[in-house]
Amino acid sequence: MGEGELAGRSAIVTGAAGGIGRAVVEALVAAGAAVLAVDLDPAIAELEGARVAVLRGDVSSAETAQRGVALARERFGGVDILVNNAARFLLKPLIDTSDEEWDGLFNANVRSVFVQTRAALPALIERRGAIVNLASISGVLGLPDQAAYCATKGAIVQITRQVAIQHARDGVRVNAVAPGAVDTLFVARSLGTESEGSGINDEMTASHPLGRVAQPQEIAEVVLFLASPRSSVMTGAIVMADCGYSVQ
């Protein structure tokens, strides 16, 4: 995407302090957009800049969502793009998953998409904007030991499709990216390899037909495409960005 192609547009990105979220913020800014970066992590403050405003808060809170839209209107005049990226992971089979773990993952992964989308829709309708949700191969495939995570990402797939059809006549496009493994701290934490600096091992790499996993910047490029006018004919799509994992 050319530099300045999103000039004059503004975006809200949740989970912006993490690997993919940070890469999405950087990609949007490089394309000319102004961004409101939202995260509960104090590291979100590191992103603040000339075209990046930050909001620290719980993205699953309706109050945080409303504050975010109000701040984006105040700072940037409106909202053109919403990227629902925030998520947590749980590696457990269903039989070992507690009520608290199940509810907590749905709160973080699904309620966040619900409240952020609900709050942003009036502003997005005004500008005929775009929503990009971060789903996962786990929302499309059955994967071992991911009962709650698969269920939350499957919910995001269906939210994407439903909101897309509901608001197509309003000019709001809604699509999702479904990554496979991505070389981020998120993956490292989920596999208990955070101290080693990477969650990627030879077995994980070999399980992807391209012989590698994605980098955060590569997923951000897919998000950027779906957020831009270049994907103007796409809505309700679930774009697999998984180095071929889902076609095996």
Side-chain angles (χ1 to χ4, degrees):
M1 184 170 296
E3 184 177 348
E5 191 158 350
L6 293 181
R9 303 195 183 201
S10 64
I12 297 174
V13 180
T14 70
I20 292 176
R22 188 176 292 251
V24 168
V25 170
E26 292 170 353
L28 287 166
V29 170
V35 180
L36 175 66
V38 189
D39 205 302
L40 191 58
D41 190 333
I44 192 68
E46 299 169 6
L47 293 176
E48 190 160 18
R51 280 192 284 125
V52 181
V54 301
L55 174 62
R56 187 181 175 198
D58 178 358
V59 298
S60 67
S61 162
E63 191 265 342
T64 299
Q66 291 158 4
R67 284 172 54 207
V69 173
L71 184 55
R73 285 186 183 277
E74 177 188 331
R75 289 287 301 273
F76 310 131
V79 182
D80 299 280
I81 299 160
L82 171 64
V83 181
N84 284 309
N85 166 69
R88 284 171 39 199
F89 185 74
L90 182 67
L91 191 65
K92 278 190 177 182
L94 187 92
I95 198 168
D96 295 328
T97 301
S98 70
D99 293 353
E100 292 74 20
E101 287 170 330
W102 182 271
D103 292 344
L105 214 67
F106 266 85
N107 191 57
N109 295 6
V110 183
R111 179 181 166 83
S112 62
V113 174
F114 161 58
V115 298
Q116 296 290 332
T117 300
R118 183 179 61 183
L121 268 169
L124 291 165
I125 290 169
E126 288 173 12
R127 295 197 176 195
R128 301 178 73 83
I131 299 172
V132 184
N133 296 323
L134 268 291
S136 169
I137 58 171
S138 303
V140 179
L141 307 175
L143 296 175
D145 299 330
Q146 295 188 24
Y149 189 70
C150 283
T152 64
K153 290 300 183 175
I156 290 169
V157 166
Q158 285 302 93
I159 289 169
T160 298
R161 291 170 172 155
Q162 197 286 322
V163 179
I165 199 66
Q166 188 78 47
H167 292 283
R169 299 289 185 182
D170 295 322
V172 176
R173 297 184 304 106
V174 189
N175 295 289
V177 183
V182 184
D183 192 4
T184 62
L185 188 58
F186 181 91
V187 172
R189 284 173 175 163
S190 72
L191 298 178
T193 59
E194 181 178 354
S195 61
E196 300 170 21
S198 176
I200 307 307
N201 54 37
D202 292 341
E203 181 181 359
M204 183 177 289
T205 298
S207 70
H208 292 69
L210 289 183
R212 66 182 186 89
V213 300
Q215 294 299 312
Q217 295 79 9
E218 294 176 302
I219 302 303
E221 286 297 323
V222 183
V223 173
L224 191 62
F225 170 71
L226 293 174
S228 80
R230 294 198 180 198
S231 60
S232 58
V233 298
M234 296 177 66
T235 196
I238 313 302
V239 179
M240 308 305 292
D242 60 359
C243 294
Y245 190 94
S246 61
V247 296
Q248 299 181 91

